[in-house]
Amino acid sequence: GVLQLVSAAAFVHLEQWSFYHAFYHCIVTGTTVGYGDFTITTQGGRLWASIHMILSVCMLGELFSTLDTLRKERTVILERIEQLTRRLDKGLLDKVLGHVRVLRPDAPVDALGVTNVEFALAMLLELEIVSMDQVQPFLLQFCKLDENNSGRLCSDDLHLTHTMSTDDARKLRSFGSSRYATSLKKSQTLPAPPRAELLA
């Protein structure tokens, strides 16, 4: 709006148009319509018209980009609200269990189901707030830090880190990482067990 008003004032001065006609010309040019019903005759007017067209097109593109970003953000917010107000059903449970199988492929998803942390992470994956490519490096790091291969990080892991030799620690960490990688590969290639079997 400000750009078009300033440009109209410039055309009034350079082309001796009325402000109404100058503003009309700026709006038509700025929206890339360009009827061609006004002809710029002065050198200064042509120079300013070139600057005005470049700025108008850039600002119009930025406007469309901003509107598209707002549309996508609104879609994401609505999806989050839908998931947060959703009741537990078979579809939701199957999706959560599917993500959890990838998160901990070496541990069966049994009748105990999933923990609150696993559920939260599975929902973040489902809503595509985070991706598995972002999560997997931390799972591999966990396996490396889990010195006793217990599946939990505790003071025993810290004690082993300081008491084991460097070579032994390296071998154990390598074993943990390879074990996770192998389990992950199996979980991605083998068909998922039936839901009835998981909850049996």
Side-chain angles (χ1 to χ4, degrees):
V2 175
L3 173 63
Q4 308 308 330
L5 290 173
V6 172
S7 297
F11 283 122
V12 169
H13 174 71
L14 295 169
E15 296 294 322
Q16 303 303 312
W17 294 342
S18 68
F19 186 81
Y20 170 79
H21 290 114
F23 185 70
Y24 165 79
H25 169 79
C26 290
I27 294 298
V28 170
T29 303
T31 54
T32 69
V33 178
Y35 292 119
D37 46 355
F38 284 90
T39 303
I40 298 174
T41 58
T42 65
Q43 195 67 23
R46 294 189 184 97
L47 177 61
W48 180 250
S50 299
I51 297 173
H52 170 248
M53 284 187 288
I54 292 173
L55 292 177
S56 295
V57 170
C58 290
M59 294 184 69
L60 188 63
E62 179 64 25
L63 174 63
F64 288 144
S65 177
T66 301
L67 291 176
D68 186 59
T69 299
L70 292 174
R71 180 187 62 81
K72 291 179 179 178
E73 290 178 353
R74 180 179 181 275
T75 300
V76 170
I77 291 173
L78 291 177
E79 288 177 353
R80 291 182 186 179
I81 293 175
E82 181 183 359
Q83 293 295 349
L84 288 173
T85 56
R86 183 176 178 180
R87 297 174 63 88
L88 183 63
D89 53 32
K90 182 180 183 301
L92 177 60
L93 182 60
D94 288 344
K95 289 180 179 179
V96 170
L97 292 176
H99 288 300
V100 173
R101 290 189 197 101
V102 179
L103 291 172
R104 50 180 174 100
D106 54 342
V109 182
D110 51 23
L112 296 178
V114 300
T115 66
N116 57 344
V117 176
E118 289 173 337
F119 175 80
L121 185 52
M123 292 306 296
L124 290 175
L125 291 168
E126 180 63 26
L127 290 172
E128 297 182 352
I129 298 175
V130 298
S131 66
M132 188 56 68
D133 289 338
Q134 293 172 311
V135 174
Q136 282 181 348
F138 295 102
L139 295 176
L140 289 171
Q141 182 186 22
F142 177 89
C143 291
K144 293 178 181 179
L145 298 176
D146 184 17
E147 301 284 4
N148 59 4
N149 292 318
S150 64
R152 294 178 179 272
L153 291 181
C154 57
S155 57
D156 290 342
D157 298 297
L158 183 62
H159 177 71
L160 286 173
T161 299
H162 292 288
T163 57
M164 292 177 64
S165 66
T166 303
D167 290 339
D168 289 341
R170 186 182 298 111
K171 290 178 182 178
L172 193 56
R173 288 170 184 167
S174 176
F175 170 75
S177 298
S178 61
R179 183 191 62 179
Y180 172 76
T182 301
S183 299
L184 178 61
K185 185 176 181 181
K186 289 181 179 178
S187 72
Q188 293 174 336
T189 55
L190 294 178
R195 180 170 176 270
E197 178 182 334
L198 293 173
L199 302 180

